[in-house]
Amino acid sequence: MGHKVSPISFRLGKLNNWQSKWFAKRDYSKFLLEDLSIREFIRKNLRSGYVSRVDIARDKNIVIITVYTARPGVIIGRSGAGVTALKENLKKLIQGEIRINVEEIKEPDLDAYLVALNIAQQIEKRISYKRAMKQAKTRVMTSGAKGIKVNCKGRLAGVEIARSKTMSEGSLPLGTIRANIDFGQIDAKTTFGIIGVKVWINKGDK
């Protein structure tokens, strides 16, 4: 049997960089749990901001959080009020000084997590999963991607038995390390249960 490996972790150190950049000998488990709670809080409370990735770096007593989003204005708020409120809420989760940077994603249609999030939101609004998948596939290929694969799994359209539906277009060499493949996964919470959405996007060779 084959083993499923995340395309992002498979290319760590070659094409992709680590999302947590720090070193610790004693407090490793503490920092790891803090990183998980930070990402969970930001993704949960800033879902309307279309947050794709949260990078965390630590330097002595300073925690530097970089939020990559397609809607930076929603997160920053008027005169930086959004960032200030976010910093105050994060201080309840972690200790030390916090610095927050907001980076804009120029092409959200080429970000696998944002594409998966868009499909999941449409499914939650009871839009046909086939229509959502086809529209996402067309947008991604129009934006210049070399290939895409979309997979939805669960009680699709409210059927009794869970099933899986996959749509793909173009080339997707998952085993080629030089191929810049982005991967995103998210759950759509519907009245019939949870539907898993996975997206693979091939941005070309590096």
Side-chain angles (χ1 to χ4, degrees):
M1 294 178 66
H3 295 275
K4 294 181 180 179
V5 180
S6 170
I8 295 176
S9 61
F10 184 60
R11 291 163 176 80
L12 275 176
K14 296 291 183 180
L15 299 181
N16 301 328
N17 205 344
W18 282 262
Q19 294 184 11
S20 292
K21 302 169 186 175
W22 47 265
F23 176 79
K25 287 185 177 180
R26 297 181 179 177
D27 299 328
Y28 179 84
S29 58
K30 173 189 172 184
F31 291 159
L32 179 61
L33 291 174
E34 282 185 357
D35 286 9
L36 292 173
S37 61
I38 289 170
R39 290 193 176 95
E40 184 181 0
F41 179 84
I42 292 176
R43 285 246 169 92
K44 183 178 179 181
N45 291 274
L46 300 177
R47 196 174 186 185
S48 60
Y50 275 69
V51 176
S52 171
R53 195 172 84 248
V54 179
D55 287 359
I56 300 173
R58 296 176 185 270
D59 184 12
K60 293 184 179 179
N61 293 325
I62 301 176
V63 181
I64 304 170
I65 302 171
T66 305
V67 181
Y68 293 86
T69 173
R71 298 176 179 175
V74 175
I75 295 177
I76 295 172
R78 186 172 295 178
S79 301
V83 173
T84 304
L86 178 62
K87 188 182 294 185
E88 291 298 323
N89 290 325
L90 289 176
K91 283 182 179 178
K92 302 175 183 177
L93 300 176
I94 59 178
Q95 296 177 350
E97 185 182 345
I98 299 175
R99 187 184 304 164
I100 298 177
N101 302 321
V102 180
E103 297 286 341
E104 182 182 4
I105 297 175
K106 302 295 184 181
E107 296 179 335
D109 286 334
L110 291 179
D111 190 288
Y113 183 84
L114 294 183
V115 173
L117 177 62
N118 187 29
I119 295 173
Q121 288 180 343
Q122 291 187 61
I123 293 175
E124 289 175 350
K125 293 177 182 177
R126 301 197 176 187
I127 296 173
S128 171
Y129 70 94
K130 289 183 180 179
R131 179 181 174 187
M133 293 168 70
K134 285 181 180 178
Q135 288 179 349
K137 186 180 68 170
T138 304
R139 285 199 312 270
V140 170
M141 294 304 293
T142 305
S143 298
K146 301 296 181 181
I148 179 176
K149 182 169 77 170
V150 183
N151 175 264
C152 291
K153 186 179 291 186
R155 292 185 61 187
L156 302 174
V159 295
E160 290 294 328
I161 301 175
R163 58 184 177 181
S164 177
K165 176 69 175 178
T166 303
M167 291 185 183
S168 61
E169 186 175 343
S171 63
L172 203 72
L174 296 177
T176 306
I177 294 180
R178 68 174 180 272
N180 185 14
I181 294 179
D182 194 13
F183 173 73
Q185 178 181 0
I186 194 170
D187 293 333
K189 298 177 182 179
T190 68
T191 54
F192 302 109
I194 292 177
I195 295 177
V197 181
K198 295 180 180 180
V199 175
W200 295 259
I201 297 178
N202 179 15
K203 300 180 183 178
D205 292 349
K206 275 192 178 181

